[in-house]
Amino acid sequence: QVPYYTYAAFLSRHFEGKVQKLPLDVGATCPVRDGSVSHGGCAFCNGRSFVPDMCSEQYSVATQLQAGKQFFLRKHPHDNVAYLAYFQAGSNTYMPLSVMQRYISQALSVPGVRGIVLATRPDCLSTSWLDYLEHLSRQTFVMVELGIESVNDDVLRQIGRGHDVATSAQAVRQLHLRGIHVGVILFGFAGESRESQLQQAFEASRWQVDSVKLHQLQILRGSRFARQYAEFPERFSLFSLPDYVSLVADFIERLHPAIAVERFVSQSPASLLIAPRWGVKPDEVVRLVCSTLAERRTHQGILCPL
């Protein structure tokens, strides 16, 4: 038995059998790229770093989903699978609702697709979007994945995020009031103390989110951090693998046991990644975290005060 609440276990409460997220790119941008808040994106971001090769806005939603299904079925040809259409690239609720509704309808019409996951920012949830998602969630599985990134306002300002912690808390609260599942993306940036990073576990627990994704700071080609790192590498506190594993174990101990952990580590394409280069796959990081918790004889939530 693993010492944390897995995302697969969370999904098993809503589906029978295996569930697979299929990533999509429908050309969504965000307010820190198009000038609404700022230009150039967040300091850490290269928008292509998290979009698989099979995803491209030049292909229809159905084509992208069918490609994703075929890729998955090659690895698991005999499984009975429920698919979630994962609108991954960009801030998808920043797109006009009338446009995005068509993409969502197209996704849900693909055989085997049983729900949607929308990646977005906490400052991109209008009342009309919340009304629509509430209505949709009565018909199918709906989860909103919020890029919270940090619960420290100073850090959010430094990375040019364009929203504050209060906005994040309000977004989670509004989604919960509408009965919509909420996942959040969190973790470490240069200059953020260990205490600040661990505080994220307490805040996620207090907000009662459904799941968390963790990511280490990565320096990616094409990002503002890449330019700064080339000139002043000493300003960046990049994790070694052992230090990161230790921090994640500390985080898991402080995270409420009812919150699923979907991801321990981010993996960007080698062609984009400048640093750190650990040379291990995400599964190995999971194994190391579980091993660390086993050595400590602890588990998720043991230090959570809630």
Side-chain angles (χ1 to χ4, degrees), residues 231-274:
E231 191 170 359
F232 304 107
E234 69 278 1
R235 295 181 182 177
F236 290 81
S237 303
L238 299 180
F239 289 107
S240 67
L241 180 57
D243 285 345
Y244 185 74
V245 167
S246 175
L247 178 63
V248 171
D250 289 348
F251 180 94
I252 296 300
E253 290 172 340
R254 289 158 176 79
L255 184 68
H256 195 281
I259 298 174
V261 184
E262 182 176 359
R263 187 184 73 192
F264 286 94
V265 65
S266 181
Q267 184 178 36
S268 294
S271 60
L272 295 178
L273 181 61
I274 297 173

Side-chain angles (χ1 to χ4, degrees), residues 7 20-30 47-48 50-52 55-57 59-65 83-110 113-121 125 129 132-133 136 140-147 183 185 213 262:
Y7 190 64
Q20 179 65 36
K21 290 168 70 175
L22 299 178
L24 289 166
D25 182 352
V26 293
T29 183
C30 74
R48 298 307 304 172
F50 45 75
V51 181
C55 297
S56 173
E57 61 181 288
Y59 299 117
S60 71
V61 165
T63 298
Q64 291 182 58
L65 289 173
Y83 296 101
L84 297 177
Y86 178 26
F87 292 87
Q88 179 182 16
S91 299
N92 288 275
T93 61
Y94 187 56
M95 186 172 283
L97 177 56
S98 59
V99 175
M100 197 64 192
Q101 278 181 293
R102 293 198 294 272
Y103 290 136
I104 291 172
S105 295
Q106 290 167 20
L108 291 173
S109 69
V110 172
V113 173
R114 302 274 305 281
I116 66 164
V117 180
L118 289 170
T120 194
R121 292 165 51 95
L125 287 169
W129 258 107
Y132 167 70
L133 293 173
L136 186 64
T140 191
F141 180 89
V142 176
M143 188 165 201
V144 173
E145 186 177 278
L146 294 173
I185 303 174
K213 279 183 173 180
E262 182 176 359

Side-chain angles (χ1 to χ4, degrees), residues 37-69:
V37 172
S38 63
H39 291 280
C42 301
F44 60 88
C45 186
N46 175 316
R48 298 307 304 172
S49 65
F50 45 75
V51 181
D53 292 340
M54 69 187 74
C55 297
S56 173
E57 61 181 288
Q58 65 181 301
Y59 299 117
S60 71
V61 165
T63 298
Q64 291 182 58
L65 289 173
Q66 292 294 353
K69 287 170 66 176

